Amino acid sequence: MFLSAGLNVRLLSFVRLFCIGLLARFSMNMKLYFIAANMLFLTSAANSAWAVEVSDQLEVAGAAELEYGANRGTEGNEYGTAISKAEFGAAIKPNDKVEARVKWLYEEDLKAVSTPLEVDEANAIWHVRPENKLDITAGKKYLKFGSFDTNMVSDPLTLDLGETRQDKVLEVTSKQGNFNTTGYVFSGTAPKIDGTGKHKSGYGFSVGYESEKVNAGVDYLSNLAESKAFVDH
C-alpha cells in the first residue's frame, strides 16, 4: 500500500527541527560528505540564485552549488571538489496570459557525473485568472508533492524519496487568499509490480495554507513508485 499511495503532511517547523544539526550526509555505502568551514561562505554565495530580466518578455536565471567532500574507504581517504548542482533557466512571457519555461540541470559527485546536462523542466503556463488565482500548466515538471525546504547544507532525506518529475503533466493550480490548491494528472512511468508493463497514468492533489507564521498542507500522490527514488533505480 505504501507504494500504491503516498500521503505527505508537511509542517515546515517540524522539518526544520528534524534537520537541526544535520551537517553531514551518509549514503548507503557509508560515505561521509562534509562541507569544510572555509567553504561555507563560497557555497552560500554560489547558492544565491540570480535572475536577469533581458526584456519585458524574456528572463534568464541560474544557480550553482560547489561542494568539498571526503570519502573514507578501505583504501584510505579521498578528497575532492564537485559542482553538486548547476541550473540555468529561461522564461518567455509574450503577454500576461501565456508563459513558457525551460530549465537545464547538471549534477556531479566527488567521483563522477551523477546527472549529465539535461532538460530538467520544460512547460507552458496559461494564466487563466490574474494573481495566480487560476493557472493551467502542461509539459515536463516536478509534481506538487511534499515540502523539502531546509536551512541546512545537505538536502533532507525526504527529498530523495518524494521528489517526483514527469515528462507529461497537466496541472491546475488555484490560489485564494492564504489557501492554495493543486490538482494534476500525468503519464505514468513506474513499472507494475507483476512485471506486465508500466502504469499508464497517475494523479495527485495538494491543499495548503501559507502565512507569515504558518505553512502547512496535505499532498497526495496516487503512486509513490513514480518518484525519482524508484524510477531512476
Side-chain angles (χ1 to χ4, degrees):
M1 295 297 294
F2 180 72
L3 294 180
S4 62
L7 181 63
N8 186 302
V9 179
R10 62 186 194 278
L11 296 173
L12 294 185
S13 58
F14 172 79
V15 173
R16 287 170 181 166
L17 287 175
F18 178 79
C19 294
I20 286 179
L22 184 61
L23 291 177
R25 178 187 303 165
F26 291 88
S27 64
M28 295 301 294
N29 53 1
M30 300 305 292
K31 295 179 181 178
L32 172 62
Y33 294 90
F34 62 93
I35 304 298
N38 61 343
M39 288 293 292
L40 288 178
F41 298 101
L42 296 176
T43 304
S44 176
N47 285 345
S48 300
W50 55 269
V52 177
E53 188 172 324
V54 180
S55 66
D56 293 338
Q57 292 77 34
L58 176 62
E59 180 178 301
V60 296
E65 298 178 6
L66 303 179
E67 183 178 85
Y68 174 81
N71 175 23
R72 184 175 183 178
T74 57
E75 299 180 357
N77 297 337
E78 298 180 0
Y79 303 91
T81 58
I83 303 176
S84 59
K85 178 184 292 186
E87 297 176 322
F88 176 78
I92 301 175
K93 304 176 183 179
N95 53 56
D96 294 336
K97 288 289 187 179
V98 180
E99 179 179 352
R101 297 179 179 178
V102 61
K103 185 181 72 172
W104 289 270
L105 173 67
Y106 174 84
E107 295 177 312
E108 63 182 30
D109 53 32
L110 297 181
K111 289 188 175 181
V113 175
S114 57
T115 304
L117 183 63
E118 66 175 10
V119 176
D120 191 35
E121 293 186 89
N123 50 71
I125 306 172
W126 177 25
H127 302 290
V128 182
R129 299 184 60 188
E131 299 178 357
N132 299 325
K133 291 183 178 180
L134 181 60
D135 292 337
I136 299 178
T137 305
K140 184 178 184 178
K141 71 183 308 294
Y142 287 89
L143 303 182
K144 181 69 174 177
F145 179 69
S147 181
F148 311 112
D149 296 338
T150 177
N151 293 324
M152 311 310 296
V153 174
S154 59
D155 294 326
L157 299 178
T158 51
L159 177 67
D160 295 331
L161 177 63
E163 187 178 52
T164 308
R165 183 188 66 184
Q166 295 294 335
D167 293 339
K168 300 177 182 179
V169 181
L170 180 61
E171 177 185 86
V172 178
T173 61
S174 176
K175 184 176 182 180
Q176 303 293 334
N178 292 332
F179 290 92
N180 56 80
T181 57
T182 301
Y184 52 83
V185 294
F186 57 89
S187 178
T189 57
K192 295 181 179 181
I193 298 178
D194 57 10
T196 58
K198 296 182 178 181
H199 292 277
K200 294 182 179 180
S201 62
Y203 61 92
F205 66 83
S206 173
V207 179
Y209 176 87
E210 184 175 358
S211 66
E212 294 181 357
K213 296 182 179 181
V214 178
N215 189 342
V218 176
D219 300 336
Y220 174 82
L221 180 62
S222 61
N223 189 358
L224 190 58
E226 295 286 354
S227 71
K228 296 176 65 177
F230 298 97
V231 174
D232 290 352
H233 298 84

